[in-house]
Amino acid sequence: SDFTPLVLIGGTGQWVDSWTTHVSGFRDRPLLLYETAGQGKVAHDLSDMTLTRHTRDLQAVLAAAGWADRPVDLAGFSFGGRLAMAAAASGGLQVRRVVSTAVASRRTARGRFALRGCLASLRSGDMQGFGYQITLASYSSSFLAEHEARVPKWVDALARECTSEGVGAIIAETLATEEEEHPLHTERLASRIASAGAVEGGLIISGTEDAFSTLSSGADLARVAGWEHLPIEGAAHAVPLEKPRAWRDAVKGFLAKP
């Protein structure tokens, strides 16, 4: 393929199969569905869950895929979007373009409380409780009303495919990076990317109904990075799942720009 390889990186409560609905839409290019430490069922050392560690892991996987010396595009959702930015800011990978979805300069108080509630459930081993909390926080009211009968199956799948220890470790580290002075805060990553000219370009995608990472805060982050910003109408936090076609079209359109 003449296309730059694309790496898709999921959010906190996702695993590799969470991306399968998008595979056919990106069949025109080399594609890697990336599952980080803490996602899925695979056992990992959880003692270091910083974005720096996740960047090193991604670097090793790209080398194993034979892409160590090849530019790649990164598209990440939520936690995965922050990892995509950290990888671009690190200087250790050849990143051409980045698409970060549902990532913002500052999370709302509502979002922080939602994460703390999720973490409390995970620390007590309650994956079902976490599943319902993260679902409630991630989707719009209209989407939940339309798919109410399917939500219990989604929660069961999450409880089956992920671990409370792994997801809890991701969320605990995420909350730590919320402090504005943290070197891996999203605004600091954006500033480093902009000042280093680390990528050809970037795009922040925001759901207009996102209560975790609001539309205005996504626009603020895009300004700091010098990137484009695209709202997806009617979506909440989980844009790739709630509006899959619109999200995929936005990613492909941006990556195809000359």
Side-chain angles (χ1 to χ4, degrees):
S1 171
D2 294 331
F3 285 96
T4 302
L6 174 63
V7 182
L8 297 181
I9 312 171
T12 299
Q14 294 194 294
W15 60 102
V16 68
D17 287 349
S18 303
W19 288 108
T20 53
T21 185
H22 291 295
V23 169
S24 62
F26 293 110
R27 62 181 177 272
D28 55 357
R29 70 195 65 222
L31 181 67
L32 174 66
L33 307 182
Y34 185 60
E35 187 178 278
T36 75
Q39 295 177 330
K41 280 285 193 187
V42 179
H44 291 276
D45 177 8
L46 303 176
S47 60
D48 176 7
M49 290 295 281
T50 62
L51 291 173
T52 304
R53 177 264 176 95
H54 289 299
T55 296
R56 289 196 304 267
D57 287 352
L58 177 57
Q59 200 168 359
V61 170
L62 292 179
W67 296 350
D69 300 315
R70 186 174 179 181
V72 297
D73 293 328
L74 304 178
F77 158 58
S78 194
F79 159 68
R82 291 189 300 109
L83 173 53
M85 293 183 68
S90 73
L93 289 81
Q94 292 191 53
V95 180
R96 187 184 75 107
R97 294 183 181 176
V98 176
V99 180
S100 287
T101 300
V103 179
S105 59
R106 289 176 181 80
R107 198 184 305 276
T108 62
R110 186 189 189 96
R112 286 190 294 275
F113 286 135
L115 281 180
R116 288 171 186 161
C118 286
L119 185 57
S121 292
L122 291 165
R123 284 178 170 167
S124 66
D126 182 7
M127 284 295 288
Q128 290 274 330
F130 163 71
Y132 281 105
Q133 284 176 294
I134 199 71
T135 298
L136 183 62
S138 297
Y139 294 97
S140 67
S141 296
S142 58
F143 184 87
L144 290 174
E146 181 181 352
H147 298 283
E148 183 175 0
R150 301 172 65 185
V151 170
K153 292 182 180 179
W154 297 345
V155 171
D156 287 344
L158 172 58
R160 185 173 61 249
E161 299 295 339
C162 297
T163 69
S164 58
E165 296 82 7
V167 179
I170 292 175
I171 292 179
E173 182 62 28
T174 295
L175 285 168
T177 64
E178 297 285 308
E179 301 296 329
E180 289 186 28
E181 67 274 10
H182 195 288
L184 297 173
H185 186 279
T186 51
E187 283 195 348
R188 290 185 175 235
L189 293 175
S191 294
R192 281 161 53 191
I193 291 168
S195 61
V199 297
E200 282 185 14
L203 172 67
I204 300 290
I205 298 177
S206 303
T208 59
E209 306 300 316
D210 191 348
F212 259 137
S213 305
T214 63
L215 183 66
S216 61
S217 196
D220 289 343
L221 185 63
R223 277 193 290 273
V224 174
W227 288 1
E228 298 178 33
H229 181 240
L230 179 69
I232 300 290
E233 193 67 38
H237 191 67
V239 182
L241 301 173
E242 190 166 348
K243 300 286 186 180
R245 186 182 296 266
W247 178 82
R248 198 163 51 243
D249 288 348
V251 173
K252 292 180 72 173
F254 173 72
L255 296 181
K257 287 185 175 183

